[in-house]
Amino acid sequence: MATLKLVVQEDITLDGNDRSTYYQHDITGINSVDHRSMTIPADTEASIFNLSNTVGAGTFLTSSIKYARISNVTTSSFIDIHVSSSSESAHFKVNGGNIFTLSTSEYTGSLSSAYTYDDISSIKVKPSGSSAKIEYFIATT
C-alpha cells in the first residue's frame, strides 16, 4: 500500500500582500492508480470511466475510489463533465486549463433538503467546441 500526497498551492500577491496558501492531505491505503491522457473529438460525449460493484475495462470498483482528478488540458475552451448515477445526473463546466476532483463515489443531484447520496456510475466528457485534450488520474484502494 502507498500514500498519495495531495498538495494544493496557490501563489498570489494582491495589492502588495502575499495571499498565498498551501494545503496538503495524505490519502493512505492506495493500492492502484490509473492515469490517462486522451483527446475527445468535437461533438462527442465520451465515457472516460465508470464505477461499479464489478471491476472491468474502464470500470473501477465503486467502494475503492479515494481520489479522482479530471484536467481540461485544452486551454482555449471548456469541457462539460457529465456525472451520472442510477437515478440522477449533473453537469459541470470546467474551463480550459482547470481541473475537477472527486474524493468519493457518492453524490446527489437533488436540490431538495431531503436529498440522499447515490453512487456515481459513469463520468463522461464533451468538448464545448473543437476537440479537447483531457487527462485523468484515479487512486483506489
Side-chain angles (χ1 to χ4, degrees), residues 45-88:
E45 183 179 63
S47 177
I48 60 169
F49 62 87
N50 297 305
L51 303 177
S52 177
N53 291 329
T54 306
V55 175
T59 303
F60 300 91
L61 191 61
T62 302
S63 62
S64 71
I65 295 292
K66 296 299 176 194
Y67 173 79
R69 172 187 48 83
I70 302 167
S71 300
N72 182 2
V73 179
T74 302
T75 58
S76 58
S77 60
F78 72 88
I79 58 173
D80 174 67
I81 296 180
H82 183 185
V83 178
S84 298
S85 72
S86 61
S87 60
E88 299 181 277

